[in-house]
Amino acid sequence: MEARAEIRISGIVQGVGFRPFVFRLAVRHLLKGFVRNMGDAGVQIVVEGNRGNIEKFVEALRSEQPPLAKIEELQLSWQPPTGEFTDFQVSPSNRTSLGLPSVIPPDLALCDDCLREMLDRKDRRYNYPFITCVNCGPRFTIIEELPYDRVRTSMKVFPLCPDCLREYLDPVDRRYHAEPTACPVCGPRLELYHPSGEILPTQDPLVEAAKLLDEGHIVAVKGIGGIHIATKTTDDEVLARLRKMFDHPQQPFAVMAKDLDTVKTFAEVSPEEEEMLLSYRRPIVILNRSSGYNLSELVAPGLDTVGVMLPYSGIHHLLLRAGKDPAYVMTSANVTGLPMIVDNEEALTKLRNVVDYLLLHNRTIVNRCDDSVVKIIEGKPAFLRRSRGFVPEPIKLAFNSGLSVLGLGGDLNVTVSILLGNRCFLSQHIGDTTKVETLEYLQDAAARLMHLLNLKKVDIVAHDLHPDYATSRLAPRLAEKFGARPIAVQHHHAHLCALMAEHGIEEMVGVAADGVGYGPDGTAWGGEIMVARLDSYKHCGGLMKQPMPGGDLAAIYPARMVAGILWGHLDREELDQLLQDYCPSGFKHGARERKVVLHQLERGLNVFLSSSCGRVLDAVSCLLGICSQRTYEGEPAIKLEAAARGGDASEAEIDPLIEKIGGRLTLNTSRLLLDVLSALKKRVPRRHIAAAAQLAIARGLGLMAREVAESEGIKTVGVSGGVFCNRAITTALRREVEGAGLKFIRHEALPPGDGCLSAGQAVVAAKVKMTQ
């Protein structure tokens, strides 16, 4: 029986070879009709033919879809046949929305087929670094608007040559409607620049750049989502110069190695880490150093790990194949907290005095996108940064609010999110919004994401509760612009709701542990136990509130936290001597500064209270002589984790002491630090003390969460916050929770750090609005 069907599909179905797949499938099932992209609405398919063939065709759409496609919703409607079609065609895109939001695919690492062709001397794209097909290449970073067609990407300025056009129009070719496709005749080009802006004459800019790197030069390299700064990883002198030029005295640099075998010469790689390294997403993966580690200590000072990624573009593959070093530093070209440089003119201006050469191409980066960073904990990913390779894939929600919500995030490590229907779209990593340039970037990223989702306004603008965050001050202005309602969301409630949204639940006992978040009592929270629901929370306990002498200075110089935590437990002279003996480099101005700090504590002058878990870890790190000054976010705690590797917690007597203070469960962190001091005086090796302190914090948080879960009759405990990038703490807390027969959940699709805040804010705001 002849029939006609209209099929509407939403999900990741644009930019992943879906239309060529549909064409081949329709021809195979003897169907006539068309397939086309539909603006923000995904893909529309209309077919006529035998009804049984159409049913098999629809079944095959799901079962045989391209590996990078993801069908989230398929709507099928049967209609009387019209006989209007003579064959099956891929029709031009229609920008009319069908009301089913589509998803732009993330940027995809170079596929094996394209890599093979690029290295084949007989292929017309031999050594062409911008080679791509429907299965790989840039997507999000080049798209200007939907539907995803070449004319709406930054490739529109590169008209296809006859050979490329023939491939582009051939339904059986791998480059059929591959929008970024190009070749040396018609595509983007690389040039090697001197910092003065002069183009250096060279037959092969990539080979010359590799030679310059091996000679010890610093080279800026423009890739897919931005510009990297590259150097050798085996040369202390050039790494020291790089650190001085970019004012990164201690911050670990990510490195790129040409293949997995090379990575295994200097790092340990588990099966899960190998899978992540080789995936089409190609994030930076945090790996433990191996016993054969042969890179400079200046790559990641004071750490037992190294952040590694494999090449994900033709530029990277060719550069590393031409070089001799086992790996090269590939760090973002930006001052800490500022947006990564993506524009050639900006690079030539801002990098003039800090790099020796620049390898730049002439394809515009529409949406800058930093590299993602992932750490595998107990076989599952924990994101330090979710960006290239993952953005803008949404998180699917267990509810549909019917609202559109813009979440602005917090202060540091910011992302923005847009909640639309039953999906939440997170932006790429944005950074530190205390910087004007980054706040402007946030607004631009939000506007671009809204544009891609065909949104001209939103119903709600959600933001952090902290009144002084730049994003909190921006929220009312954006709300007025969109005719929306601003809603403030408590920092740690947002953390926990992002986790619940990720796992599709509406209630849990949450452990939120990080550096700082504004509490409704006006103090700095950061180690909290809550009963969390998507529209509300109950604060049940947490870490003891401790004085921070000098406020934010105590977050930079953790010796101040040592003083604050131990104040009142040692007499003034004894505390002063302890700080002198164990934290000698923790006070820039020596005895005079210590005297001022102790005076502040005595009089309560410029002293703020905080229950931050991050600040306690900082204090332990400082007291153990591991880190006395924070030069990058989380540094003392990260180095504490490194120092604890191989430690035996049973060698130090450090146990959690939980008390009831003000009706809430409280972990006594002063007692914990006194136990650390006692172990030090007994000359227990530092690695054992570090391991024991981390374990005590994890067990203390876990025991409090267990007690709250039992009293509230809740069976799930979840954790969120930057502290849960720590492998030992996360693992120990899980064991404590599961030991009581409770379900333990943590982030796997979103960062546990502040990169998840915007999603949590959007979810809370939508739920609050729904209940009103």
Side-chain angles (χ1 to χ4, degrees):
M1 184 177 68
E2 293 296 298
R4 175 188 175 107
E6 180 177 356
I7 303 159
R8 301 176 181 182
I9 297 175
S10 66
I12 300 179
V13 288
Q14 294 191 22
V16 290
F18 194 77
R19 287 180 297 167
F21 157 72
V22 171
F23 176 90
R24 292 190 292 271
L25 209 58
V27 171
R28 191 175 89 199
H29 288 86
L30 305 177
L31 302 177
K32 300 172 183 178
F34 66 84
V35 57
R36 65 182 174 185
N37 287 338
M38 292 294 295
D40 67 333
V43 166
Q44 178 191 30
I45 305 168
V46 176
V47 289
E48 290 191 359
N50 179 274
R51 184 179 178 110
N53 286 354
I54 293 177
E55 289 172 344
K56 292 177 182 177
F57 168 79
V58 173
E59 183 181 340
L61 283 173
R62 289 189 179 278
S63 62
E64 300 179 27
Q65 61 187 283
L68 301 180
K70 184 191 292 183
I71 295 176
E72 292 191 353
E73 187 173 358
L74 187 153
Q75 295 181 358
L76 171 66
S77 61
W78 294 98
Q79 302 164 356
T82 64
E84 64 184 284
F85 305 118
T86 58
D87 58 8
F88 192 89
Q89 296 182 355
V90 176
S91 296
S93 296
N94 186 332
R95 301 185 68 188
T96 303
S97 171
L98 293 175
L100 298 172
S102 185
V103 182
I104 301 302
D107 300 300
L108 312 171
L110 193 69
C111 70
D112 291 341
D113 289 331
C114 283
L115 177 60
R116 191 161 42 247
E117 289 173 354
M118 186 179 70
L119 301 178
D120 183 355
R121 291 180 178 274
K122 297 178 181 178
D123 195 278
R124 71 187 189 91
R125 292 185 176 89
Y126 173 61
N127 276 354
Y128 183 59
F130 302 97
I131 188 171
T132 184
C133 71
V134 294
N135 299 316
C136 65
R139 298 292 191 272
F140 173 66
T141 52
I142 63 170
I143 190 166
E144 297 171 345
E145 56 185 331
L146 287 174
Y148 176 65
D149 291 307
R150 191 180 184 92
V151 293
R152 284 177 282 276
T153 74
S154 57
M155 289 299 294
K156 65 187 176 186
V157 298
F158 301 103
L160 293 170
C161 68
D163 287 336
C164 286
L165 184 61
R166 185 166 52 252
E167 295 169 338
Y168 183 84
L169 296 176
D170 183 355
V172 299
D173 195 282
R174 201 175 80 250
R175 294 187 171 88
Y176 180 56
H177 282 272
E179 310 307 344
T181 191
C183 75
V185 174
C186 62
R189 298 175 182 274
L190 277 169
E191 300 282 5
L192 188 62
Y193 289 82
H194 187 272
S196 66
E198 175 190 358
I199 297 177
L200 301 179
T202 176
Q203 187 174 355
D204 191 330
L206 272 164
V207 170
E208 186 64 26
K211 179 183 175 184
L212 291 167
L213 285 170
D214 288 335
E215 290 173 355
H217 292 287
I218 300 173
V219 181
V221 180
K222 185 177 180 181
I224 287 180
I227 295 176
H228 285 121
I229 303 299
T231 68
K232 294 177 69 175
T233 55
T234 56
D235 185 336
D236 287 355
E237 185 178 341
V238 69
L239 287 166
R241 185 160 68 93
L242 177 64
R243 291 195 172 281
K244 182 178 179 181
M245 290 293 187
F246 282 86
D247 192 25
H248 290 334
Q250 295 287 311
Q251 185 172 339
F253 291 141
V255 307
M256 182 181 283
K258 69 177 181 179
D259 54 36
L260 189 62
D261 287 341
T262 304
V263 174
K264 290 180 178 180
T265 64
F266 60 82
E268 298 173 358
V269 184
S270 70
E272 295 84 3
E273 289 163 342
E274 180 172 326
E275 182 180 358
M276 187 64 76
L277 283 167
L278 293 172
S279 73
Y280 69 84
R281 302 181 186 276
R282 294 289 165 102
I284 297 166
V285 181
I286 306 299
L287 304 174
N288 287 330
R289 296 185 187 186
S290 68
S291 58
Y293 182 79
N294 57 354
L295 310 184
S296 168
E297 288 297 321
L298 292 181
V299 169
L303 302 183
D304 62 337
T305 56
V306 59
V308 183
M309 58 182 157
L310 293 175
Y312 54 85
S313 75
I315 294 170
H316 300 132
H317 278 285
L318 293 173
L319 185 67
L320 269 73
R321 284 173 181 270
K324 298 176 181 177
D325 232 36
Y328 294 89
V329 166
M330 286 284 175
T331 190
S332 298
N334 64 302
V335 175
T336 300
L338 293 181
M340 179 168 52
I341 296 172
V342 297
D343 179 74
N344 290 6
E345 289 188 13
E346 183 185 11
L348 288 166
T349 300
K350 292 186 176 180
L351 301 178
R352 181 187 301 271
N353 298 317
V354 292
V355 303
D356 302 317
Y357 298 94
L358 301 94
L359 183 65
L360 306 175
H361 60 72
N362 59 339
R363 182 176 66 203
T364 299
I365 296 171
V366 178
N367 300 297
R368 65 163 55 84
C369 205
D370 289 82
D371 296 312
S372 295
V373 185
V374 176
K375 186 177 186 179
I376 302 297
I377 298 179
E378 296 191 293
K380 297 178 181 179
F383 283 89
L384 280 69
R385 184 166 70 210
R386 182 183 184 269
S387 203
R388 180 193 50 76
F390 296 89
V391 168
E393 286 184 14
I395 302 299
K396 194 167 184 179
L397 306 175
F399 67 92
N400 190 333
S401 66
L403 298 166
S404 56
V405 185
L406 171 62
L408 296 179
D411 199 31
L412 305 174
N413 298 313
V414 170
T415 63
V416 296
S417 290
I418 294 176
L419 186 151
L420 188 60
N422 67 341
R423 287 187 281 187
C424 187
F425 297 81
L426 278 80
S427 75
Q428 65 272 47
H429 170 77
I430 291 170
D432 177 1
T433 56
T434 63
K435 308 287 197 306
V436 172
E437 297 92 334
T438 310
L439 189 63
E440 291 173 350
Y441 171 33
L442 178 147
Q443 294 176 75
D444 179 68
R448 288 183 181 276
L449 190 55
M450 288 179 64
H451 183 65
L452 288 176
L453 295 172
N454 200 27
L455 280 177
K456 292 182 170 53
K457 63 177 185 176
V458 293
D459 299 309
I460 301 170
V461 177
H463 61 93
D464 196 271
L465 188 64
H466 199 302
D468 293 330
Y469 280 178
T471 48
S472 298
R473 295 194 299 269
L474 173 66
R477 300 201 302 270
L478 290 179
E480 184 178 1
K481 174 183 175 182
F482 296 132
R485 175 186 170 187
I487 293 181
V489 180
Q490 199 280 325
H491 188 95
H492 300 100
H493 186 212
H495 264 293
L496 298 175
C497 286
L499 176 64
M500 289 193 289
E502 183 180 329
H503 287 268
I505 64 174
E506 298 212 356
E507 181 184 62
M508 70 176 186
V509 172
V511 181
D514 59 5
V516 65
Y518 188 79
D521 59 359
T523 65
W525 290 11
E528 315 308 320
I529 310 295
M530 298 176 170
V531 172
R533 300 179 180 89
L534 293 181
D535 60 352
S536 62
Y537 69 91
K538 180 167 71 172
H539 190 208
C540 302
L543 271 57
M544 177 179 284
K545 291 188 183 298
Q546 299 288 5
M548 293 179 65
D552 287 344
L553 279 175
I556 299 171
Y557 300 102
R560 288 171 173 258
M561 282 307 306
V562 174
I565 292 172
L566 296 181
W567 179 258
H569 298 272
L570 302 173
D571 62 45
R572 180 171 176 151
E573 290 73 20
E574 188 179 5
L575 180 55
D576 185 44
Q577 189 62 50
L578 178 147
L579 295 172
Q580 182 178 343
D581 292 343
Y582 291 96
C583 309
S585 57
F587 298 91
K588 290 175 65 177
H589 305 288
R592 184 176 59 178
E593 185 178 351
R594 290 200 310 274
K595 182 178 179 180
V596 169
V597 168
L598 295 176
H599 179 74
Q600 287 178 320
L601 288 165
E602 187 175 52
R603 298 294 181 89
L605 301 172
N606 196 25
V607 173
F608 303 88
L609 292 178
S610 172
S611 55
S612 165
C613 188
R615 298 294 79 79
V616 174
L617 291 168
D618 291 352
V620 173
S621 182
C622 181
L623 189 58
L624 292 178
I626 295 166
C627 183
S628 59
Q629 180 181 351
R630 189 197 78 194
T631 65
Y632 61 88
E633 189 69 22
E635 179 182 356
I638 292 169
K639 288 184 174 178
L640 177 69
E641 181 182 12
R645 186 182 179 191
D648 183 350
S650 66
E651 292 292 320
E653 297 179 8
I654 304 176
D655 293 307
L657 173 61
I658 297 171
E659 305 169 316
K660 269 277 181 89
I661 299 177
R664 292 193 177 112
L665 295 169
T666 304
L667 177 61
N668 189 325
T669 48
S670 294
R671 181 71 263 164
L672 186 145
L673 205 61
L674 286 168
D675 287 345
V676 169
L677 179 61
S678 175
L680 271 173
K681 289 179 177 179
K682 292 176 183 177
R683 301 186 180 279
V684 175
R686 188 175 71 173
R687 68 183 186 280
H688 299 326
I689 303 173
Q694 290 184 148
L695 178 61
I697 290 172
R699 288 194 58 225
L701 290 169
L703 288 168
M704 289 189 291
R706 283 173 51 168
E707 185 170 336
V708 172
E710 183 178 346
S711 66
E712 296 284 339
I714 297 172
K715 299 300 183 182
T716 300
V717 173
V719 299
S720 185
V723 167
F724 298 107
C725 292
N726 180 301
R727 185 177 283 117
I729 291 176
T730 303
T731 302
L733 205 154
R734 176 191 60 77
R735 289 172 178 163
E736 195 68 47
V737 167
E738 291 182 348
L742 300 169
K743 182 179 179 181
F744 174 85
I745 62 172
R746 68 170 178 85
H747 291 285
E748 297 173 28
L750 297 177
D754 284 2
C756 76
L757 278 180
S758 62
Q761 291 168 350
V763 166
V764 173
K767 274 291 186 177
V768 167
K769 179 68 174 175
M770 289 170 67
T771 57
Q772 291 178 343

